[in-house]
Amino acid sequence: MERSQTVTQKFSSFSSSSSSASSREDRPREIDRSRSLGPVKLEKSYGKKERDTETVTIEEDEEERQEEEEVEVVVVVNKEEEVSNVPEEPSEASFGSMSEEVDGFLSFLLSIDDGRDQWPEPPAMPEPTIKKFLDFVEEELVKYESGKDGVSPPANDELVLFDAIDRVAKLTSALSIFSSDTRYNKAMTRASSILRYAMCFLEDEFHSLLEDSKPKKDPGIARPKAKRRPSIGHLHEAIDRCVPPSSEPDLVEFPSTYPPEIIERLRGIAGAVVSAGYATECCQVFTIARHNAFDVALSNLGYEKLGVDDVQKMPWDSLEAKIATWIKVFRQTVEVAFPRENDLCEAVFAGHSTIAYSIFHNFARGVTILLLGFAEAVAMTKRSAEKLFKVLDMYETLRDMVPRIDALLRTESEPDDCSAAHDLTTEVALVGSRLGEAVVAIFCDLETSIKTDMGKNAVPGGAVHPLTRYVMNYLKYACEYKNTMEQVFRDHKTSENPSSQVEDAAKGSSDDSHNPFAIQLMEAMELLHTNLESKSKLYRDPALCSIFLMNNGRYIMQKIKGSTEIHQLLGDTWSRKRSSEMRQYHKNYQRETWSKVLACFKDDGLQARGHVAKPVLKERLKSFNAMFEEIHKAQSSWVVSDEQLQSELRVSVSAVIVPAYRSFLGRFSQYLDTGKKSGKYIKFGPEELENYIDELFSGNPSSMVSRKRT
């Protein structure tokens, strides 16, 4: 025998509300992303509604329900028909009391979760309160989504809404404990629908704040240091000049700083969404928005994403500019963007440190790998000497940024060898290693350039050869990277046996004799020396050959003297050896040019039987005049561009020739006929002779005869 029980309930049925929420989810959601979340008002209008009732009879087990009276279960169905526009506004306290009752019910459910088996029947549920609470949350969301309130909400009101959504999430989870019960299942379905609706709305609002809020500029932005020099041009087109560092344009700030009020709202939304169990969706929206912002910042800085093929085919002038931009962007990213992005993640996901770290790590890794792709492509390009300095700049950039990346990503809880920081810095170090290998290969190609420069045309006037200028400028600039070059060669240069000359010089250097870069530098210098000696043989005049070697030797010594780094690497032994060679070149020039001239001033053959042989004397003077005019004509066109060397040569010639000439005239001029005929043999006075010597090596050929006529 069965009895019927009826209970009249004073709130809307879960079935109709659930279907209403479900149908809302199925509709396309059109949300204006430019509209901010409106103010949350703790007010709700309830219209007087006509309600029809229908009776549902529920059969119960007669043996278990004999003591209870028969009641009719009446389920009130909301017909959604308002008959009055007069609102009834529940007070703020009424919402607070609803929240407290829901919280109490949640606490009770959570307390019995572990002992679920001890509850054959689910406990009583405050259905009217839960219904009113869910209605309130749903209507508030609908109202704000429709955009009735277009002003920024008070912070406290937003927090109340976020708290209410959090309560809906907890309610959905707690009701699942007794989801097999019809009433619990319906309430859970309703709460779950509202929760999903809230999550969609908050996701859109979160996206809108990230995309549309303008970042605040920071005047204290860091500036990367300008690099020392651009690359040197073609092998024989280098000129001896100082290249000033290029000035960097003002950098565009990375958009990582939002106004404090926006960060506060982002934090509130993120907290509500994460607490509701939608952390994945929230992180996805945040990550995409920040990557989009970074792409815009890269574009503002002039950085263009290029593939390997694009880099390989690009002319060097264009690629050089791209490298300069990359260096600026990479330093700006690590020094400025990453710390700001880390701060932003920690601020928005405050209280969720694991999520904040994961988002920042993924962002940093993605951006770094993107930028490393360009560096790796550059390392794969065809080797050429002009690329050395830009590749070195890239190598230094990666090397300098590794500690900063490690400091930003390392956590105390992770072992050093398996941390996220270790993985990323390993990636950076790997690309840096490839750049280092490229540096070694490019520098070693300098030896090939020196060996293959076998031009058959002598430089006019014995001037400094373009190869000498190029090589010494190249080495000077390379040695400005001395510490980096030593590091690169130690890490990436395969050991080879140096020549005996280089090995001897290396032992006498002030640095470690096993310094691979110093040894490579000496190899290049020895090759240059050998090449110049070969080129000197292109001159038929042995004296000009010596002038050529002196010119180039002095240029080399001056470059070494002006570069502390080169001098340290080559050492005192090498410098003393080259100075000794310079003195020998000078002696060779004196011997080849002036030994025959001095022979004219010897007494041998001038006297016969105690008397001066005038014909011989006259012939001697005529021979001297002819030789000196010939020397003056030739050597005044020779070039000695170093003023000190030029002065040293002139002084040394005058010191030898003028005194000997003056002494010779003093001894024998009296034996010549006086008058005009004496001028035929004595064309120069000692002072005049000295003036003519001072015209040597000026690079301006002049005729002594034509000058005398004028």
Side-chain angles (χ1 to χ4, degrees):
M1 182 176 183
E2 298 179 352
R3 289 185 178 181
S4 299
Q5 299 176 345
T6 61
V7 177
T8 303
Q9 302 178 344
K10 300 179 180 179
F11 50 88
S12 303
S13 69
F14 289 116
S15 58
S16 62
S17 301
S18 177
S19 62
S20 174
S22 299
S23 63
R24 184 187 306 108
E25 289 181 346
D26 296 334
R27 296 197 304 268
R29 306 182 67 251
E30 300 291 341
I31 296 177
D32 183 2
R33 293 188 181 277
S34 65
R35 181 178 294 115
S36 64
L37 181 63
V40 178
K41 298 178 181 178
L42 300 179
E43 297 177 351
K44 175 175 181 239
S45 298
Y46 294 88
K48 294 183 179 179
K49 304 177 182 180
E50 289 186 350
R51 304 178 184 270
D52 295 337
T53 61
E54 60 182 9
T55 303
V56 178
T57 304
I58 301 177
E59 300 290 338
E60 299 290 348
D61 188 340
E62 180 182 6
E63 294 180 358
E64 296 179 359
R65 302 300 233 181
Q66 290 180 356
E67 297 85 2
E68 298 179 4
E69 295 182 358
E70 179 179 352
V71 294
E72 183 181 18
V73 179
V74 180
V75 180
V76 182
V77 180
N78 185 0
K79 298 301 184 180
E80 298 293 331
E81 180 180 355
E82 289 192 4
V83 297
S84 174
N85 292 325
V86 180
E88 294 179 0
E89 299 182 353
S91 66
E92 186 172 333
S94 69
F95 176 76
S97 62
M98 280 193 299
S99 299
E100 290 179 2
E101 188 172 352
V102 172
D103 288 343
F105 178 61
L106 289 174
S107 299
F108 176 69
L109 286 181
L110 294 176
S111 68
I112 67 173
D113 188 16
D114 295 336
R116 170 69 178 82
D117 296 338
Q118 300 177 6
W119 291 81
E121 294 291 335
M125 179 175 60
E127 294 179 79
T129 302
I130 292 176
K131 174 63 172 64
K132 290 179 181 179
F133 174 74
L134 294 177
D135 284 346
F136 170 80
V137 176
E138 183 180 24
E139 291 191 12
E140 288 297 326
L141 288 171
V142 172
K143 180 172 60 177
Y144 300 135
E145 185 180 31
S146 65
K148 291 179 181 179
D149 300 303
V151 297
S152 298
N156 291 337
D157 288 354
E158 264 199 346
L159 292 176
V160 170
L161 180 61
F162 296 151
D163 184 62
I165 293 174
D166 180 60
R167 192 172 285 109
V168 173
K170 292 178 180 177
L171 184 63
T172 303
S173 177
L175 290 172
S176 66
I177 298 174
F178 295 99
S179 59
S180 59
D181 181 79
T182 302
R183 294 173 303 158
Y184 273 76
N185 187 270
K186 287 183 178 180
M188 181 188 70
T189 302
R190 176 80 193 288
S192 178
S193 297
I194 294 175
L195 179 62
R196 288 195 298 272
Y197 178 50
M199 292 301 103
C200 289
F201 174 62
L202 290 182
E203 178 183 321
D204 287 331
E205 185 66 18
F206 195 61
H207 179 273
S208 177
L209 288 173
L210 287 169
E211 292 287 350
D212 300 338
S213 300
K214 293 182 178 179
K216 190 166 85 174
K217 293 184 178 180
D218 183 357
I221 190 169
R223 307 287 183 187
K225 296 179 180 179
K227 275 302 173 182
R228 288 162 283 210
R229 56 169 308 283
S231 62
I232 301 178
H234 188 267
L235 185 63
H236 295 304
E237 296 175 358
I239 58 175
D240 187 23
R241 61 184 178 88
C242 294
V243 181
S246 58
S247 59
E248 298 284 359
D250 290 339
L251 300 178
V252 180
E253 288 81 355
F254 276 77
S256 298
T257 303
Y258 291 95
E261 61 274 13
I262 297 299
I263 293 180
E264 186 66 27
R265 298 183 68 196
L266 289 170
R267 182 188 300 118
I269 295 175
V273 175
V274 171
S275 298
Y278 287 77
T280 301
E281 292 79 359
C282 182
C283 294
Q284 191 174 38
V285 171
F286 185 87
T287 299
I288 292 174
R290 296 310 301 153
H291 274 288
N292 290 341
F294 184 78
D295 288 343
V296 172
L298 287 182
S299 178
N300 291 337
L301 287 173
Y303 182 78
E304 180 184 0
K305 297 179 182 179
L306 299 170
V308 175
D309 291 340
D310 297 327
V311 174
Q312 297 284 340
K313 298 175 182 178
M314 189 173 294
W316 171 241
D317 290 344
S318 300
L319 183 56
E320 186 177 18
K322 297 293 184 185
I323 291 174
T325 300
W326 180 90
I327 292 171
K328 175 181 64 178
V329 166
F330 196 88
R331 287 186 176 274
Q332 179 83 340
T333 297
V334 177
E335 295 176 347
V336 180
F338 281 178
R340 286 182 173 177
E341 200 67 28
N342 188 36
D343 293 343
L344 181 64
C345 291
E346 291 179 351
V348 172
F349 295 93
H352 305 281
S353 58
T354 302
I355 294 177
Y357 176 79
S358 176
I359 291 176
F360 172 67
H361 167 257
N362 291 333
F363 174 86
R365 180 175 180 79
V367 169
T368 303
I369 295 301
L370 168 68
L371 296 176
L372 288 178
F374 176 81
E376 192 166 9
V378 171
M380 296 167 59
T381 58
K382 184 179 179 181
R383 307 283 189 259
S384 63
E386 60 191 357
K387 296 180 181 179
L388 176 66
F389 305 106
K390 286 300 180 184
V391 176
L392 273 170
D393 289 341
M394 296 180 76
Y395 177 89
E396 287 185 342
T397 298
L398 293 182
R399 180 198 63 193
D400 296 345
M401 293 300 104
V402 165
R404 290 178 175 269
I405 295 174
D406 185 76
L408 282 169
L409 293 177
R410 185 170 299 282
T411 60
E412 296 180 357
S413 59
E414 292 181 312
D416 291 346
D417 57 350
C418 63
S419 65
H422 178 266
D423 293 342
L424 188 54
T425 53
T426 300
E427 292 275 359
V428 177
L430 181 61
V431 176
S433 177
R434 290 171 182 167
L435 289 172
E437 292 170 358
V439 166
V440 171
I442 292 172
F443 188 82
C444 291
D445 281 348
L446 178 65
E447 295 183 7
T448 304
S449 300
I450 297 173
K451 291 177 182 178
T452 56
D453 190 284
M454 303 301 293
K456 300 301 182 181
N457 297 322
V459 179
V464 178
H465 198 280
L467 177 65
T468 305
R469 293 183 183 275
Y470 172 76
V471 171
M472 292 312 300
N473 281 329
Y474 195 88
L475 295 179
K476 176 181 179 293
Y477 290 127
C479 288
E480 289 182 3
Y481 295 83
K482 176 176 175 290
N483 294 334
T484 301
M485 292 293 284
E486 288 177 339
Q487 177 185 353
V488 167
F489 270 79
R490 284 194 177 99
D491 294 343
H492 306 292
K493 179 71 167 66
T494 55
S495 58
E496 297 176 359
N497 294 326
S499 64
S500 58
Q501 292 178 328
V502 170
E503 191 172 6
D504 293 340
K507 292 178 181 179
S509 68
S510 57
D511 282 355
D512 184 3
S513 60
H514 299 291
N515 184 337
F517 176 58
I519 292 174
Q520 194 69 37
L521 180 66
M522 292 179 187
E523 288 279 6
M525 295 299 297
E526 288 298 327
L527 285 172
L528 177 62
H529 177 71
T530 302
N531 189 296
L532 291 174
E533 285 193 328
S534 175
K535 292 181 186 305
S536 69
K537 294 179 173 57
L538 296 174
Y539 298 99
R540 296 181 180 180
D541 189 335
L544 183 55
C545 171
S546 297
I547 291 294
F548 172 78
L549 291 174
M550 271 192 287
N551 270 325
N552 286 271
R554 175 58 67 93
Y555 182 87
I556 292 172
M557 294 303 294
Q558 290 299 105
K559 284 293 182 182
I560 294 174
K561 183 179 179 180
S563 173
T564 304
E565 293 83 3
I566 298 182
H567 184 78
Q568 290 176 345
L569 289 166
L570 294 177
D572 293 334
T573 301
W574 189 94
S575 297
R576 285 194 295 268
K577 179 181 178 182
R578 290 294 176 264
S579 297
S580 176
E581 290 174 348
M582 287 288 293
R583 289 191 293 270
Q584 187 60 47
Y585 297 148
H586 195 160
K587 291 178 181 178
N588 292 344
Y589 163 75
Q590 293 274 31
R591 183 180 65 252
E592 295 294 340
T593 300
W594 301 104
S595 58
K596 294 180 181 179
V597 174
L598 290 174
C600 296
F601 304 144
K602 292 182 179 179
D603 293 346
D604 298 344
L606 285 178
Q607 293 183 356
R609 300 176 183 179
H611 299 282
V612 174
K614 291 183 179 181
V616 176
L617 175 62
K618 292 177 181 179
E619 189 63 30
R620 289 277 186 93
L621 289 171
K622 289 173 63 176
S623 177
F624 167 76
N625 293 334
M627 282 192 291
F628 187 78
E629 288 181 356
E630 181 71 20
I631 290 172
H632 181 272
K633 180 180 179 181
Q635 297 193 12
S636 61
S637 65
W638 292 0
V639 178
V640 177
S641 54
D642 183 85
E643 293 182 359
Q644 183 178 352
L645 177 60
Q646 186 185 72
S647 177
E648 289 174 358
L649 285 170
R650 290 170 176 172
V651 168
S652 65
V653 171
S654 295
V656 173
I657 300 300
V658 174
Y661 182 63
R662 181 181 286 113
S663 176
F664 183 78
L665 292 181
R667 297 196 309 271
F668 299 105
S669 62
Q670 57 185 326
Y671 297 104
L672 297 175
D673 297 333
T674 60
K676 293 183 178 180
K677 290 186 177 181
S678 64
K680 179 179 179 181
Y681 303 105
I682 304 176
K683 290 186 176 182
F684 315 102
E687 292 76 10
E688 191 177 13
L689 185 67
E690 190 170 1
N691 291 335
Y692 281 122
I693 290 174
D694 285 342
E695 294 176 352
L696 302 179
F697 318 118
S698 61
N700 297 314
S702 60
S703 172
M704 196 178 300
V705 175
S706 61
R707 288 177 57 192
K708 283 181 173 291
R709 287 175 179 174
T710 58

